[in-house]
Amino acid sequence: MTNTVNKPVLLIVMDGWGIGSGGHEDAIAQANTPVFDRLWSGYAHTRLFTHGPYVGLPAAKDMGGSEVGHLTMGAGMILDQGPTRINKAIADNSFFASSALQQVMEVVANGTTLHLVGLLSDGNIHSHLNHFKTLIEYAFEQGVKRLRVHALLDGRDVGIQTAQKYVCELEEDFAYINGNEGFDYGFASGGGRERIIMDRDYDWSKVEQGWNMMVHGQCEQRFPSMLAAINHFRERQPDIVDQDLPGFVIVDQDNQALGKMTDGDAVVMVNFRGDRAVEITEAFELDDFDGFDRGDKPDLTYAGMMVYDEDRNLPKLQLMGPTKVDNPFGKRILELGIKQFRLTETQKYPHVTFFFNGGYRQPLDESMEDYILIPSDKGVSFSDAPQMKAAEIAGKAVELIESGEYGFGLINFANADMVGHCGNMASAIEAVEAVDKAVGQIVEALEQAGGAALITADHGNAEEMLVATKTGHEPSTKHSVNPVPCILFDAAYDGSYQLRQPDAADAALAVPGLSHLAATLFEMMGYAVPDDLNPSLIERP
Ligand SMILES: O=C(O)[C@@H](CO)OP(=O)(O)O
Ligand SMILES: [Mn+2]
Ligand SMILES: [Mn+2]
C-alpha cells in the first residue's frame, strides 16, 4: 500500500447507508447490491459508529448527520460539535454575554420586535427546540415586549407528523409570558422545511416564498394559529409529512399578518448548521443580493446562531463562534503536495467542501484541489428520481482516476440519504442499487490504476425506512443511529491486514468511528500518521 500520485486513494461516502436489521424496514438489505456484497466479503472491513459521543454530539442517542459526520472525517478526531458547544455555553452563561446577542437585545429594547426564525424540532441536526426556548426566556427576562417565531416545520430529523408537539411547547411558554402586562409573544408564520427557506441548492423560489411570508406577511394561506394551519393541511392530505407542509402566515381577526418585519426589528436565525441557513442569510444581509426581488426591505439587525459561510463571514453577527478544525485532512495533504479532488452532486456540495474542510468552502490552492459539482435535479421529489446523479458522478470519477493526476479524492453519493428522507421504500431500494452500481464502476477503475478506497457512510438512513409506533409502523424519514459499513478496497489486497472491529469494552475514543478515517487514509497513502489524529483502523498481525 505505498502510494505515488498516480495510485489514487479515495474516500467514498455513501451518504445515509447504514447497517440495519435486515428486516422489512431495511431498504439496503432488500436491494440487490452485488458490488457491496463482493467488497464486504473480499476485503478488510468493519462497522463504524457515527452518532452521539462518537462524533462529538451532546447526547448518547443523538443521530449523526452530514455536517458532524464529514467534519469528523476531515478533522480526524472527535471535536465538540455546534450543538454541544451551544449547550455548554448556555450552561455556563457565556452564551448570553456574546456581543452579537447583546446588540440584538439593544435593538429591541425600546419596543421593536424580536423575530426568531428556524427549524422547530429537537432533531439536533440543524437546530434544537431548547435553543428557541432559551432565547425566548432570555428575551422575556430582559424585558423584550414583542417576539415572533417564524417556524420551519421538520418531519425529517424527527417523526413525520410531530410539528404540533413543538408548537404546543412554545405556545405554553407564550401563554405564560403573555400573562404579564405588556408582553406579546407568538407565532407569525410557518411551513415545511422542504417547501420554504431551508433550501440548499439555490432554488431561490423557496427562499423568496419564505421571505415574502416572514418579512412582508404575504401569503395566500392565512390562519388564526399554527395548529389551525397544520390541521387544515392534514385534513386535506392525511399522510403529508411535516417537511412538505405549504407555507402560511398567522393573521389576526382582520386578516392582518401578526408578524411582518419592520424597521428597527431584529431577526435571529436559530439554526446552527449553515448549509440550509445561508441562502436566507444572504437575502437578509447582502447589499448586492440578486436571488429574487426582496421588495421594500426593512432596516433590520440580523444575527445567526453560528457562522454559515466562513469564507464570506456570513452572517456578520454570530451568537457563537465557529467550530474550529485547526488542521483538516484536505489542508494536511495539500501541505504534503498531494493533488486532490472532491466530487458530488450539488445537494451534497457542503459535505465534500466546507463540512469536510471544517470551515473553508473554496480550494486553498486551486492548482492542487479540484471541487467538481454536478447539478442535482431541481423541482422534483428525489423519490421520483432515485438514481439522482450517481451515474454521472461515477463517470466523472473514472475520468479523474484515469487521469493519473490525483493522490486523493473524496466522493459523496447522495442517494441512500436523500431518497431515504422521502420515506418511500421502493424508491429507497432503487437509490441503493444506483449507488452500488456506481461504486462498482469506480472500484473497477481503481483496480486498473492500482488504487485503493475507503467505502463508508456518514450515518445511516435507508436501512431504517419504517419505525415502530404505538399502533404499528410509520415511514421513517430521518437518519438512524445504526453503525455504517467501512470497507478498505485495495487493488493489491493480499489479506495481510484487517480493520479494527468494535469492541463493547472500548471507550468512545477507541470504538471505530468516523474520526479514525483520516489516519487510516494517511496509512493507505503510505504516509506517517500525524500524532494528533485518532489512530488508523488498519491492524496487522
Ligand atoms: O437534509 C438535511 O439537511 C439533513 C437532515 O436534516 O441530512 P444530511 O445531514 O444528510 O445532509
Ligand atoms: Mn449525510
Ligand atoms: Mn440526510
Side-chain angles (χ1 to χ4, degrees):
M1 274 197 302
T2 48
N3 173 261
T4 63
V5 175
N6 54 9
K7 297 240 184 288
V9 169
L10 305 187
L11 172 57
I12 302 176
V13 179
M14 306 183 297
D15 208 304
W17 182 305
I19 301 175
S21 73
H24 70 297
E25 80 293 357
D26 185 339
I28 290 170
Q30 287 184 45
N32 184 21
T33 53
V35 174
F36 180 87
D37 300 345
R38 176 171 65 80
L39 295 174
W40 183 259
S41 61
Y43 295 89
H45 63 257
T46 186
R47 290 176 295 141
L48 302 180
F49 288 73
T50 66
H51 67 282
Y54 311 109
V55 286
L57 286 169
K61 287 275 176 213
D62 276 335
M63 292 171 295
S66 293
E67 180 189 34
V68 300
H70 287 76
L71 188 142
T72 305
M73 288 189 257
M77 59 186 78
I78 299 172
L79 298 171
D80 275 356
Q81 302 286 346
T84 312
R85 295 175 46 244
I86 295 166
N87 294 355
K88 286 184 179 171
I90 291 172
D92 71 12
N93 281 325
S94 58
F95 180 77
F96 305 101
S98 82
S99 73
L101 186 56
Q102 291 311 318
Q103 278 187 60
V104 165
M105 288 297 152
E106 264 165 44
V107 166
V108 293
N110 40 23
T112 55
T113 305
L114 174 57
H115 300 264
L116 304 183
V117 179
L119 183 63
L120 192 70
S121 80
D122 53 3
N124 218 22
I125 300 257
H126 291 269
S127 69
H128 201 290
L129 183 74
N130 289 346
H131 303 160
F132 278 91
K133 287 169 139 301
T134 298
L135 286 165
I136 290 166
E137 281 156 28
Y138 183 63
F140 174 55
E141 278 164 32
Q142 297 296 302
V144 173
K145 290 287 168 9
R146 199 161 183 274
L147 182 145
R148 291 289 180 263
V149 170
H150 302 264
L152 284 332
L153 304 175
D154 193 347
R156 186 179 177 97
D157 299 331
V158 291
I160 51 175
Q161 292 189 327
T162 50
Q164 67 285 359
K165 184 170 95 189
Y166 307 110
V167 165
C168 290
E169 281 208 38
L170 290 199
E171 296 277 21
E172 270 177 35
D173 289 3
F174 296 154
Y176 171 78
I177 291 171
N178 292 341
N180 293 274
E181 180 69 31
F183 285 85
D184 172 13
Y185 282 33
F187 284 103
S189 70
R193 54 179 281 183
E194 284 292 285
R195 294 289 285 268
I196 52 163
I197 297 174
M198 278 179 64
D199 173 66
R200 64 175 168 201
D201 201 16
Y202 289 96
D203 183 350
W204 284 117
S205 63
K206 292 185 183 172
V207 187
E208 179 175 20
Q209 205 200 328
W211 173 272
N212 286 334
M213 289 165 35
M214 294 192 307
V215 178
H216 301 306
Q218 286 167 358
C219 184
E220 267 173 35
Q221 305 286 352
R222 304 171 89 78
F223 296 92
S225 71
M226 291 293 283
L227 291 183
I230 294 167
N231 291 338
H232 168 87
F233 294 121
R234 288 206 191 135
E235 268 161 32
R236 287 170 147 204
Q237 190 185 331
D239 60 352
I240 191 165
V241 177
D242 291 341
Q243 61 181 338
D244 299 318
L245 288 167
F248 54 87
V249 293
I250 309 296
V251 292
D252 64 14
Q253 284 154 342
D254 303 321
N255 201 25
Q256 295 301 308
L258 278 178
K260 285 198 245 188
M261 296 181 182
T262 50
D263 287 345
D265 286 357
V267 182
V268 174
M269 170 45 110
V270 183
N271 290 10
F272 43 76
R273 180 168 144 174
D275 58 339
R276 294 186 186 275
V278 72
E279 292 178 18
I280 189 70
T281 298
E282 288 179 27
F284 275 111
E285 293 238 307
L286 297 185
D287 290 334
D288 56 354
F289 178 78
D290 61 2
F292 54 86
D293 178 2
R294 291 178 290 187
D296 235 346
K297 180 174 176 281
D299 182 16
L300 303 165
T301 299
Y302 180 84
M305 181 61 90
M306 300 208 20
V307 67
Y308 303 138
D309 181 343
E310 268 192 60
D311 294 10
R312 291 183 291 169
N313 196 33
L314 283 176
K316 285 191 278 300
L317 292 181
Q318 300 152 18
L319 304 194
M320 293 283 302
T323 304
K324 274 272 165 245
V325 179
D326 292 333
N327 228 342
F329 182 78
K331 184 161 169 261
R332 290 181 197 254
I333 62 170
L334 184 64
E335 282 159 9
L336 291 172
I338 297 169
K339 190 164 179 183
Q340 57 184 297
F341 69 81
R342 317 285 176 84
L343 172 62
T344 188
E345 60 179 279
T346 46
Q347 277 291 344
K348 297 288 177 180
Y349 155 73
H351 304 52
V352 302
T353 59
F354 60 95
F355 291 164
F356 188 70
N357 292 338
Y360 59 92
R361 288 176 181 238
Q362 299 299 329
L364 298 174
D365 178 345
E366 281 184 7
S367 70
M368 295 297 285
E369 290 169 86
D370 286 318
Y371 292 2
I372 299 148
L373 301 158
I374 295 173
S376 292
D377 294 322
K378 282 204 172 70
V380 294
S381 164
F382 293 115
S383 61
D384 296 329
Q387 291 83 9
M388 299 185 72
K389 296 298 170 209
E392 289 83 347
I393 293 170
K396 187 72 198 173
V398 169
E399 207 181 287
L400 295 169
I401 293 164
E402 286 174 352
S403 76
E405 278 183 42
Y406 300 90
F408 173 73
L410 166 62
I411 301 173
N412 179 298
F413 285 107
N415 312 56
D417 181 61
M418 294 302 283
V419 182
H421 280 304
C422 301
N424 178 315
M425 178 58 111
S427 304
I429 292 173
E430 271 190 66
V432 169
E433 292 179 352
V435 174
D436 190 69
K437 190 167 166 211
V439 169
Q441 285 165 336
I442 297 176
V443 163
E444 212 171 283
L446 281 175
E447 199 129 44
Q448 300 292 319
L454 281 180
I455 301 163
T456 187
D458 53 343
H459 51 76
N461 183 339
E463 81 292 356
E464 203 172 275
M465 296 299 295
L466 291 170
V467 280
T469 61
K470 283 187 193 121
T471 51
H473 287 96
E474 69 176 22
S476 167
T477 55
K478 55 183 192 199
H479 299 165
S480 72
V481 294
N482 291 322
V484 301
C486 177
I487 301 170
L488 198 168
F489 167 79
D490 172 1
Y493 187 53
D494 56 5
S496 64
Y497 60 87
Q498 293 303 325
L499 294 186
R500 186 147 53 79
Q501 301 301 308
D503 176 344
D506 279 342
L509 273 177
V511 173
L514 300 172
S515 67
H516 297 96
L517 298 184
T520 310
L521 289 165
F522 271 110
E523 192 173 344
M524 289 164 68
M525 295 193 301
Y527 285 89
V529 174
D531 289 346
D532 56 330
L533 294 184
N534 276 0
S536 160
L537 295 173
I538 296 171
E539 287 181 338
R540 297 168 199 280

